[in-house]
Amino acid sequence: MNHQKIKHQRYKVFGLGKAKKRKLYIAFFYRFLSFNFGEVSAPTMKKILLLSDTHSHLDDTILKYVAQADEVWHAGDIGDLSVTDTIKKIKSIRAVYGNIDDAQARLEFPLHQQFMCEGVSVWITHIGGYPGKYNPAIRAELERNPPKLFICGHSHILKVQFDKKLNLLHMNPGAAGKSGFHQVRTMLRFIIDGEAIQDLEIIEIENRV
């Protein structure tokens, strides 16, 4: 008897007609879709193209890889800003100026880029050195506050090396331009997925000359 009474009272309170119930369900559904789940939402994945030392050179092969990336990172010695201007028309770009870059480039881009990409802390600078032989100008700060991914250019030598002491991954993509001693032009591309850096590829373009 008590069970029947409770049941009756329940349906009396929510005794809506079919049309009103339908409107209520629809309103609830859209409210559910607009709910901000914060950290419950799945992390996104980013495809990164990393290049450096273009020295004013840009060609269709480089642009082909630019189009395939989500973001382009340039580690300095850009040269003519038409390089970064062209890339910006296709994809978003983060860049730093290098030692050959002029005052205009230094106004547009910083010496250092320090930022988070998904769950990865990143530091890009042009002259950074490499594990065991970092640039003295930044060594103390690098040891005090190491990023997960440390990127530089300048040497025209492609290098990917893990620093066990600082627990960071160092990348130098080599040189994508034609100016310099290198014989093969190179770039790197990889994916950042949450806190993971994965699917690293070396891109060899062609002989420099």
Side-chain angles (χ1 to χ4, degrees):
M1 186 69 178
N2 288 340
H3 177 72
Q4 292 296 325
K5 187 176 180 182
I6 293 169
K7 188 175 181 181
H8 174 73
Q9 291 294 333
R10 182 183 173 197
Y11 280 95
K12 187 175 180 182
V13 173
F14 293 96
L16 301 175
K18 287 185 178 180
K20 287 185 178 179
K21 281 184 180 179
R22 191 178 296 112
K23 288 180 180 178
L24 182 64
Y25 294 152
I26 291 171
F28 176 80
F29 177 69
Y30 281 109
R31 183 72 175 172
F32 176 80
L33 288 180
S34 65
F35 182 76
N36 183 4
F37 286 93
E39 299 202 9
V40 176
S41 59
T44 55
M45 189 171 65
K46 283 193 177 173
K47 294 179 284 186
I48 308 299
L49 177 67
L50 174 61
L51 71 162
S52 187
D53 295 86
T54 44
H55 290 258
S56 302
H57 178 78
L58 191 65
D59 56 41
D60 289 342
T61 303
I62 295 173
L63 292 175
K64 178 185 77 173
Y65 289 104
V66 167
Q68 295 171 8
D70 294 319
E71 286 187 12
V72 178
W73 299 351
H74 196 304
D77 275 6
I78 299 160
D80 195 297
L81 286 181
S82 62
V83 170
T84 47
D85 288 344
T86 301
I87 292 172
K88 278 191 287 187
K89 291 175 184 177
I90 305 170
K91 292 293 167 74
S92 63
I93 184 170
R94 299 178 190 265
V96 295
Y97 70 78
N99 55 292
I100 67 110
D101 290 317
D102 61 16
Q104 188 178 356
R106 294 173 191 228
L107 284 173
E108 182 165 351
F109 299 109
L111 177 61
H112 303 284
Q113 285 264 20
Q114 292 170 281
F115 58 93
M116 291 294 297
C117 180
E118 303 304 314
V120 175
S121 55
V122 184
W123 183 348
I124 306 175
T125 194
H126 184 60
I127 304 176
Y130 51 88
K133 199 171 182 180
Y134 291 117
N135 181 355
I138 63 168
R139 186 187 300 131
E141 177 60 24
L142 195 60
E143 291 175 351
R144 194 163 43 242
N145 189 26
K148 186 166 185 176
L149 178 58
F150 179 64
I151 293 168
C152 62
H154 185 61
S155 68
H156 292 217
I157 300 171
L158 188 147
K159 186 187 290 284
V160 177
Q161 183 177 352
F162 187 73
D163 185 333
K164 293 181 181 178
K165 182 181 177 183
L166 298 184
N167 194 33
L168 64 78
L169 181 63
H170 163 69
M171 290 187 188
N172 185 324
K178 293 189 173 183
S179 176
F181 65 86
H182 57 283
Q183 296 302 307
V184 178
R185 300 190 294 129
T186 57
M187 302 185 291
L188 291 171
R189 67 175 176 179
F190 52 93
I191 289 173
I192 293 182
D193 187 359
E195 296 183 352
I197 303 166
Q198 58 194 33
D199 298 339
L200 177 66
E201 294 179 68
I202 296 171
I203 300 168
E204 293 187 342
I205 304 174
E206 76 216 21
N207 290 341
R208 182 178 60 82
V209 292

